[in-house]
Amino acid sequence: MAGSVRGVAMSVQLALYKASGTLFNALIRWWTRSPYSHCELVINGTCYSSSIRDGGVRGKVMALPADTWDVIDLPWADEYAAQQWFDQHACDKYGWRDLLLCQLLGMRRDGRGVFCSEACAAALRYPNPTRFSPQTLADECRYIGKNTAFILRT
């Protein structure tokens, strides 16, 4: 049931791309004031997201070297619900319009596609997933992880 990324047995993780990448990656990092320009949800060793390079929502196995990716364990995440979301949206195109409308202009999404952090947040069942950038999703996941660990200790 549990997958393995970098030798850690875990069923769900958030992977955050921090390498220099393309001009588009640099623009995302600059706009969000973040070291991250893309994110993937790793479910049992397969990376899921909405990718510009791949044209939209997809899953694939890929290496996540520590010099280009930060990985956050999400022991609280529902792997079945996350997998189901990606299965249901497997043919969705990349959400260029939504990215511009939601992230740059603060407007509502047009529903014609999905961008990376929106896909990951929706799969994790966050409300209003278009409000997330890779950085804000990472912040939220770390916050929940820290508070979940505290609740479990008490």
Side-chain angles (χ1 to χ4, degrees):
M1 179 179 213
S4 178
V5 172
R6 283 200 220 139
V8 177
M10 203 64 206
S11 58
V12 182
Q13 297 169 303
L14 180 67
L16 301 144
Y17 186 66
K18 61 183 179 180
S20 57
T22 65
L23 177 60
F24 184 73
N25 295 110
L27 288 171
I28 296 274
R29 286 193 308 275
W30 173 78
W31 182 258
T32 61
R33 296 177 182 89
S34 164
Y36 306 122
S37 60
H38 178 70
C39 60
E40 302 268 341
L41 207 57
V42 185
I43 305 170
N44 294 326
T46 300
C47 296
Y48 293 91
S49 191
S50 184
S51 165
I52 295 168
R53 290 180 185 173
D54 297 321
V57 176
R58 55 91 182 116
K60 68 181 183 181
V61 175
M62 57 187 208
L64 301 171
D67 62 330
T68 56
W69 294 87
D70 285 340
V71 178
I72 302 170
D73 293 332
L74 307 177
W76 49 266
D78 182 341
E79 72 179 276
Y80 300 107
Q83 181 69 62
Q84 184 179 30
W85 189 93
F86 282 105
D87 290 345
Q88 290 172 348
H89 294 270
C91 294
D92 289 3
K93 302 281 185 211
Y94 188 81
W96 285 103
R97 288 177 53 119
D98 279 351
L99 180 68
L100 295 172
L101 289 173
C102 300
Q103 295 292 312
L104 297 180
L105 303 175
M107 298 171 67
R108 296 181 60 106
R109 71 187 296 263
D110 74 355
R112 295 185 187 170
V114 185
F115 54 92
C116 67
S117 50
E118 176 187 7
C120 293
L124 291 171
R125 296 181 167 179
Y126 279 108
N128 199 10
T130 58
R131 69 186 166 98
F132 289 99
S133 69
Q135 180 66 59
T136 57
L137 184 57
D139 293 343
E140 186 75 13
C141 288
R142 286 182 180 119
Y143 177 81
I144 289 174
K146 184 173 23 171
N147 287 314
T148 302
F150 173 76
I151 290 168
L152 293 175
R153 282 194 303 261
T154 58

